[in-house]
Each structure stands twice: as C-alpha cells, then as structure tokens.
Amino acid sequence: MYIGIDVGGTNLKAGLVDGEGSILQVKRIPLDFRGPEDFARTLAELSRAVLPEGEQAEYVGIGLPGAVSGGDVLFTTNIPMENVPLERLFRQYMDLPLLLGNDADCAAVAEFFCGAGRGTEDFGVVTLGTGIGVGLILNGKLRGGALSSEAGHIVMRRGGELCNCGRYGCWERYASATGLIRLTKEVMECRPESSLHAIAQEHGGVEGRTAFLAAEQGDEAALEVCREYVEDLADGIVSLINVVRPEAIAIGGGVAAAPDRLLLEPLREIVARESFSSHGGRATKILRAELGNDAGIIGAAFLGRVM
Amino acid sequence: MYIGIDVGGTNLKAGLVDGEGSILQVKRIPLDFRGPEDFARTLAELSRAVLPEGEQAEYVGIGLPGAVSGGDVLFTTNIPMENVPLERLFRQYMDLPLLLGNDADCAAVAEFFCGAGRGTEDFGVVTLGTGIGVGLILNGKLRGGALSSEAGHIVMRRGGELCNCGRYGCWERYASATGLIRLTKEVMECRPESSLHAIAQEHGGVEGRTAFLAAEQGDEAALEVCREYVEDLADGIVSLINVVRPEAIAIGGGVAAAPDRLLLEPLREIVARESFSSHGGRATKILRAELGNDAGIIGAAFLGRVM
C-alpha cells in the first residue's frame, strides 16, 4: 500500500494506491496554505484519512509544482514555500518517510508503471501546460529531486523570447500551452477572416485547443498555427531525444488531447526524420500520455519505486 | 587486466590496462583497412600482442569514431564500415567478448575512472573536435551503444546552419573546433588590422587555438571571437545540464587547452548564471578533461565496468 498526495493549484488530493496502481481511496480538500507547519500537519491528516484502520503504508509520496531536493521543498510555483524542510516537519505528525517529487516527475513515474511507459526502461514524459514539464526515468531510475530534468529550458532560439528562468529562447516559451495560445493570438491579429475568432469567442477566449478546433474545420490560418506549433514542439523533443536517447516519450497535458492527425502524426514524422537515430542507434517512440488526473496521485505514490 | 583498443583516424592503438587505469603495455600500428574480416583479425592480433603469455583478460574494449549498437558497428566516420557485426567477426579469431564504444563515450569512461570525473556518479564529457562528442555516465552507468548521447545535435539556432545530421542550427556547427575556426576566419575577413592574420600565417593556417593565442596578446578582434565562441559553447552546455543535471561536466579536445581566463572562467560564469540550478537543484561543476591521448585506450578498456 502506498499513499500519494497531489498538490494542485487549488486542491490537495490524497489517494491510497495498491501495487498495481489502482486508487482504492481518495480524499480531496481545498488548498488553504497557512504556512509550512500547518501544511505538513494537513498532509499527515490527509494521509491518515485515506489509510484504513490497521493498514500500513511504506511511505507517503507527494508531488508538487516546483523544485525539491531530498526532503526539502526548494520552491513551489503556487504556494509560498521556499527552502522548507517538509519531510522533517511532516515527521512531527506522522512516523512515515515523506518522499518528494515535482509534478512533471510524478507524471513520468505514473506513466512508467501504469500508462504509456509500461515495459520500458528509459522513458520520458513531456507535459505541455503553462510551461513544459519533463520527467525522465533512465535505466529504471527517476532523475528526480535535485537532478530533476528541466528540459523545457533547452534554448532553441538564441536571443529569442525572455524566459522566466532568465535565458532567452527556451523551448517552453514556444511549445508550452502558453506558447501555443500566444502564437494563436498573433496569427489571429493578421487573419481577421479566420474561424479562429468565432471559436475563441464561443469558448470565452483563446485556449490551447482553439487552433486545433479551427484546424479540424479546415481553417487555413489555424492549420498554419498547428504546423508551426508542432515544429516548435518537435524541435525540443528531437534535442531531448538526441541527448538521452530514450525508448519512448509520452506527450501529456491538455494540448496532447489534440487529434492525432494534427499533433502526434506530424510530430512523429519530424522526429523520425530529424532525430539522430536516422543515422543509427535507438529510435524513440512518441506516444500520448494515458493517465489523466490520476497521474499525480499514482506518480507520487510510486516515487519510492524509482528512487 | 583489461585490453583497450583506440581506433583513430590513422592509427590503431592497443593497450593492456590494470584495474587502476595504468597502461602497462602499448602497441600501435598504422590503420590499414582492408575490410571488416581483416579488421577483426587485426584487432585480435593486437590484443594478443599486448597480453603477456599466461595472462587472462576479461574482454577487449574498442573505441571508434561512429555509432555502435551491442556488438555491431553501425557506421564509422573514418573507415568504411556500415552495419558490421564486429564482435561476431572478432570471435572467430579470439575467444573473448568484444565491447564496443564510440570515442566520445570512451573519453567519458576514462575520465570517470581516472580523470576529472573521479568520485562522481553523474558525469559527462564534452569533446570539442571536428564535431562535438558527448559521453554521459548517469547513475554510474554509461549511456552507451545505441543509447549514446548525441547532444552535439541540440538545435540552438532554429533555421541556422545545415548540420551533417540533417538538422539546421545544431550546437556542434558553432561550438566545435570546426565552428571556432570558421568564426575566426569570418572575423578575420572584416578585421585586417588584427594580429590573428600574423598568428595564422605563423602556424600555417587558422586553427582552433589561433583566436586564443591572439587574445592572450590582447588582440581585440580575437577577444571578440573568444567571447562569442564561449557563448555558443555555454549555450549548449547549459541546455545539456538542464536536461540531465549531472554532477560535473569535463571539457576535452584540443580547444580545451585554451587558457582558463579565456575559456573555463567565462564558461563557468555563464553556466552559473543561466543553468536552472540558479533556481534550485544541483549545480554542475565545469572541469577540464585531464587525460590526453591515453583516454581512448583507458576508456575502451574500462567499458565493461559501466555497462
């Protein structure tokens, strides 16, 4: 039995997970951050709430957006924690190890055991969201904690847009959902005839899926957006592949729900043509992440199996 | 006792290496390629020549420029071998396993055990030559064979120069010794007053060290070349670091002999400022590779210890 806690932007979700990755019990509460001590106590209470009387858990795993190192939270992007010794605080309330992972790493762990990465040894998940989160499992071990991959910060356009990380031209500036939305808006400005406008209005604004929806209807401007976006996405994926040559990479996040014809098929074509394996060595499979919202809990719960 | 064979552009060098990485015996012959069968027999003869009567070796390791996968040579850049089952051919002449590595990976293995990477678990070597060769050892295991890193083919300038690999704007187009020489020539064309001209003439042409030699004398144009080159070098190194977050990276190849003040010091400054560890996580040390010409033999000999 494993306990996994997923720290989202607005909720804390704890789950009891069995060895197969089935979630047997879930408890969700709104995130109400009142300082690290209180947060640690809440984590312990949530863990107890999902653990049946008399059952034992080996550890509690927690996944959060930010950076961790060992038992410490270095920073998080949604709650004000910086250099917090979270495991030490947690241990005051519960006598179990607390394993920390960032959310991209937890997504990779979940897919590795229960999703697109099953049966691989070298696997990565690329999550397309506000930024690009990358989790890598190499030789069956997570590159986690202080070694966690930040492949979203490969520079692909020297002197390009300023990234939050301080570099210019990072991959995630272009190929995240945020980058896709910006590109969609840019194209809309010079294409007033495009159905992108009507679709955006219908859904209350431009979203990651706007271009894909319009492209499915054959809108030319939207098809252009999709093509350019996939090129940017492919560029970083090929660079990532050339560095670590994994067996498979799964694409996750809201954008990954786009139709195969517009996203995965052209992506696979570029990867096959441009990655170094076209000259020899292992070709990397491009897959879609399979687990949805449960990935956070499952990945956190299974952190101890890949550390 | 281990046997390592270094396949260079013009020579074959075999060495007997002890557990500490000392080369006890060396034999060097000119490379005279007459087909895969003959090549395999030559490797066996060389191995026997360095192995004293009555001594046993566990295996023979061989490092060559190109790509390998298991016991097969996929291609090499200096001899015409393509999809050659080299281990199978070798076994006809000698009853020992033949372990294959590419030269960049062998450099990493040698430095890992006997040079700049001693005491690390996660280590990379970046060799600046005709291209950029990268060898990665993660969690004490070489990313070798079909998984060998091709990080020289991270795209850093989308739509930049065409690379041999088929992509545009690959890091090695700019930050290899070849890239440095091209940059030096470009700057020389518009700076006739620069001492780069005299230094190039003195050494019989523009080389990788030309700019560093002139910069040491305070030549402004040369200082510009060095600055721009180090920026290009740093850009790929930071991307590589952000993907795998190693403990240390060692820079090798002829260019690495440049004075610290012009190469390693500004490189370390950029890496400290731009790599993701400035926001948290492990900071990567930038070192100079320590082993010179012996790295090929030692790395090939120790391949079996990191596979």
Side-chain angles (χ1 to χ4, degrees):
Chain A
M1 289 297 169
Y2 307 90
I3 295 169
I5 303 180
D6 180 9
V7 181
T10 50
N11 285 297
L12 281 178
K13 281 186 303 184
L16 183 72
V17 180
D18 70 11
E20 310 298 306
S22 300
I23 300 180
L24 307 177
Q25 187 98 13
V26 187
K27 190 169 167 69
R28 172 203 302 251
I29 58 167
L31 177 64
D32 175 22
F33 187 77
R34 301 174 185 202
E37 280 277 354
D38 181 77
F39 185 66
R41 192 175 55 235
T42 305
L43 296 179
E45 284 168 8
L46 267 178
S47 301
R48 283 205 192 85
V50 295
L51 192 64
E53 199 63 38
E55 280 278 3
Q56 292 287 327
E58 284 185 47
Y59 58 82
V60 176
I62 176 171
L64 27 77
V68 301
S69 178
D72 300 341
V73 175
L74 302 179
F75 67 85
T76 60
T77 54
N78 56 344
I79 34 181
M81 278 200 283
E82 226 184 290
N83 298 316
V84 169
L86 192 60
E87 190 192 9
R88 190 168 63 68
L89 298 178
F90 176 83
R91 288 265 196 178
Q92 298 175 335
Y93 304 103
M94 197 165 192
D95 188 24
L96 278 181
L98 183 72
L99 305 184
L100 276 61
N102 82 15
D103 49 1
D105 290 343
C106 288
V109 174
E111 294 287 338
F112 181 72
F113 286 108
C114 309
R118 266 184 309 244
T120 64
E121 274 291 287
D122 279 336
F123 175 67
V125 168
V126 172
T127 304
L128 308 170
T130 312
I132 292 184
V134 174
L136 291 180
I137 293 170
L138 301 179
N139 229 339
K141 295 282 170 208
L142 177 67
R143 305 285 304 168
L147 319 184
S148 176
S149 182
E150 289 293 343
H153 303 282
I154 291 173
V155 163
M156 54 183 275
R157 285 189 178 131
R158 267 203 72 174
E161 302 220 12
L162 179 61
C163 182
N164 297 331
C165 81
R167 303 185 84 189
Y168 288 84
C170 283
W171 180 32
E172 76 164 32
R173 295 304 297 171
Y174 304 95
S176 61
T178 313
L180 172 57
I181 290 170
R182 198 191 52 227
L183 176 64
T184 306
K185 287 178 178 170
E186 279 169 17
V187 170
M188 284 167 74
E189 270 183 33
C190 37
R191 302 292 286 268
E193 84 290 359
S194 159
S195 65
L196 284 165
H197 296 276
I199 289 173
Q201 200 161 26
E202 195 182 316
H203 291 92
V206 177
E207 302 167 312
R209 61 182 169 166
T210 307
F212 292 108
L213 289 171
E216 276 198 284
Q217 301 173 3
D219 182 80
E220 272 306 323
L223 284 163
E224 256 171 52
V225 171
C226 294
R227 268 194 299 270
E228 188 171 334
Y229 174 73
V230 170
E231 278 173 20
D232 282 340
L233 179 60
D235 224 29
I237 286 181
V238 172
S239 289
L240 172 60
I241 286 174
N242 284 351
V243 176
V244 289
R245 318 284 299 270
E247 226 166 317
I249 283 182
I251 313 294
V255 173
D260 277 7
R261 188 174 58 83
L262 295 170
L263 186 73
L264 284 192
E265 286 174 18
L267 182 60
R268 286 183 182 128
E269 237 173 73
I270 302 176
V271 168
R273 189 175 66 231
E274 298 214 347
S275 67
F276 199 83
S277 64
S278 64
H279 305 282
R282 177 159 75 183
T284 301
K285 286 193 203 81
I286 302 294
L287 309 168
R288 178 181 279 116
E290 294 175 8
L291 307 170
N293 287 328
D294 291 344
I297 288 176
I298 298 170
F302 282 178
L303 275 173
R305 299 172 67 175
V306 285
M307 276 177 152
Chain B
M1 287 300 166
Y2 307 90
I3 296 169
I5 303 180
D6 180 11
V7 181
T10 50
N11 285 297
L12 281 177
K13 282 185 301 183
L16 182 72
V17 179
D18 70 11
E20 311 298 306
S22 298
I23 301 180
L24 308 176
Q25 187 98 14
V26 186
K27 193 170 164 69
R28 171 202 303 251
I29 59 168
L31 177 65
D32 175 21
F33 187 78
R34 301 173 183 203
E37 280 278 353
D38 181 77
F39 184 66
R41 192 175 55 236
T42 305
L43 295 179
E45 284 168 9
L46 266 179
S47 301
R48 282 203 193 86
V50 295
L51 193 63
E53 198 64 38
E55 280 278 4
Q56 294 286 329
E58 285 186 46
Y59 58 81
V60 176
I62 176 171
L64 26 76
V68 301
S69 178
D72 300 341
V73 176
L74 301 179
F75 66 85
T76 59
T77 54
N78 55 344
I79 35 183
M81 279 200 285
E82 224 184 289
N83 298 318
V84 169
L86 192 59
E87 189 189 10
R88 190 168 64 68
L89 299 177
F90 176 83
R91 288 263 196 178
Q92 300 174 334
Y93 303 103
M94 196 166 193
D95 188 24
L96 278 182
L98 183 72
L99 306 184
L100 277 61
N102 82 15
D103 49 1
D105 290 343
C106 288
V109 174
E111 295 287 338
F112 181 72
F113 285 108
C114 309
R118 264 184 310 243
T120 65
E121 274 291 287
D122 278 338
F123 174 69
V125 168
V126 172
T127 304
L128 308 169
T130 311
I132 292 185
V134 174
L136 290 181
I137 293 170
L138 301 180
N139 230 339
K141 295 281 170 209
L142 177 68
R143 304 285 305 169
L147 320 184
S148 177
S149 183
E150 289 293 345
H153 302 283
I154 292 173
V155 163
M156 55 184 273
R157 284 191 180 129
R158 268 204 71 174
E161 302 219 11
L162 180 60
C163 182
N164 297 330
C165 80
R167 304 184 84 189
Y168 289 84
C170 283
W171 180 33
E172 76 165 33
R173 296 303 297 169
Y174 304 95
S176 61
T178 312
L180 172 57
I181 290 169
R182 199 191 51 227
L183 176 64
T184 306
K185 286 178 176 168
E186 279 169 16
V187 170
M188 283 167 73
E189 271 184 31
C190 36
R191 301 292 286 267
E193 83 291 358
S194 159
S195 65
L196 284 164
H197 297 276
I199 288 172
Q201 202 162 23
E202 194 182 317
H203 292 92
V206 177
E207 303 166 312
R209 60 180 170 168
T210 308
F212 292 109
L213 289 172
E216 277 198 283
Q217 300 173 3
D219 183 81
E220 272 304 323
L223 284 163
E224 256 172 51
V225 171
C226 294
R227 268 194 298 269
E228 187 170 334
Y229 175 73
V230 170
E231 277 173 20
D232 282 341
L233 179 59
D235 224 30
I237 286 181
V238 172
S239 288
L240 172 60
I241 286 175
N242 283 352
V243 176
V244 289
R245 319 285 298 270
E247 227 167 314
I249 284 182
I251 313 294
V255 173
D260 277 7
R261 188 173 58 83
L262 295 170
L263 186 73
L264 285 192
E265 286 174 16
L267 182 60
R268 286 182 183 130
E269 236 172 74
I270 302 176
V271 167
R273 190 175 64 230
E274 298 214 348
S275 67
F276 199 82
S277 65
S278 64
H279 306 282
R282 177 158 77 182
T284 301
K285 286 191 203 82
I286 302 294
L287 308 168
R288 178 180 278 116
E290 293 175 8
L291 308 169
N293 288 327
D294 292 343
I297 290 177
I298 298 171
F302 282 178
L303 275 173
R305 299 173 66 174
V306 286
M307 275 175 152

